[in-house]
Amino acid sequence: MILPSHLKSGLRALHLPSKTLKPHQSLPSFTSKRSFAASARRRDYHPNASFATFSEQVASEKSKGRLVLVDFYAEWCKPCHMLSPILKSIATDPDIKSGTGLPVDVLTIDTETSEGFELGQRYKVRALPTVIAFQEGKSVMQFVGALPESGVKDFLAKL
């Protein structure tokens, strides 16, 4: 393959020798060699999580080395509305960790949806709000009712 003259002049401007390229050859790369480092995954907050999101966050590889709080709530539940901002702030504050130092993710499950109702039955949710802590796919602890922020932090310290 022979380069057109307008490309040859561009190559000369870059101080590259113009030459005929064979079909399997390409021009030298001008991109720099970079290395990328992965940072720790940020905390996750999933409002109105579906069954698929629940399964992905609680029972998959993503949950290794993390604590997942699942908040079962309903729209009509006033204490649920008082607890939701506290749980959201916990999920988004990088300084808050569990008692064992694990990062904390939060999922909220609306028990008025068919999927949320089924999950609530599976985990024997009898009152709202109910918050269940999962570690590596297993339920490890829970609390029922709207706790103040200090109460939720005390709950996390026990985990």
Side-chain angles (χ1 to χ4, degrees):
M1 175 173 163
I2 298 177
L3 294 173
S5 62
H6 69 282
L7 288 179
K8 284 183 183 180
S9 64
L11 290 177
R12 282 189 201 106
L14 294 171
H15 305 293
L16 290 176
S18 65
K19 67 176 188 176
T20 304
L21 294 176
K22 294 180 182 169
H24 66 281
Q25 290 180 316
S26 62
L27 290 173
S29 172
F30 293 106
T31 59
S32 63
K33 302 288 185 212
R34 292 190 206 182
S35 61
F36 293 95
S39 59
R41 192 177 105 207
R42 66 174 178 75
R43 295 163 191 317
D44 290 334
Y45 175 68
H46 297 277
N48 300 320
S50 66
F51 182 77
T53 304
F54 174 85
S55 298
E56 179 183 334
Q57 296 297 316
V58 172
S60 74
E61 287 293 315
K62 284 187 170 185
S63 68
K64 293 235 187 239
R66 304 184 77 75
L67 184 71
V68 181
L69 297 182
V70 180
D71 173 27
F72 291 90
Y73 79 99
E75 272 307 310
W76 51 263
C77 171
K78 297 295 182 207
C80 298
H81 288 284
M82 293 168 32
L83 182 62
S84 289
I86 295 168
L87 293 175
K88 183 177 182 178
S89 71
I90 285 172
T92 56
D93 185 346
D95 296 328
I96 296 178
K97 293 186 176 11
S98 68
T100 55
L102 295 175
V104 181
D105 297 334
V106 175
L107 278 81
T108 60
I109 304 289
D110 185 354
T111 57
E112 293 182 307
T113 65
S114 59
E115 289 180 340
F117 182 77
E118 183 181 327
L119 280 170
Q121 284 185 324
R122 181 181 296 176
Y123 292 101
K124 299 178 177 35
V125 173
R126 302 285 180 244
L128 297 177
T130 295
V131 176
I132 302 176
F134 289 88
Q135 189 173 355
E136 298 191 11
K138 295 183 177 112
S139 169
V140 291
M141 198 176 217
Q142 72 178 31
F143 69 85
V144 178
L147 297 178
E149 187 169 0
S150 61
V152 176
K153 287 182 180 179
D154 290 343
F155 172 75
L156 285 175
K158 295 175 188 174
L159 296 169

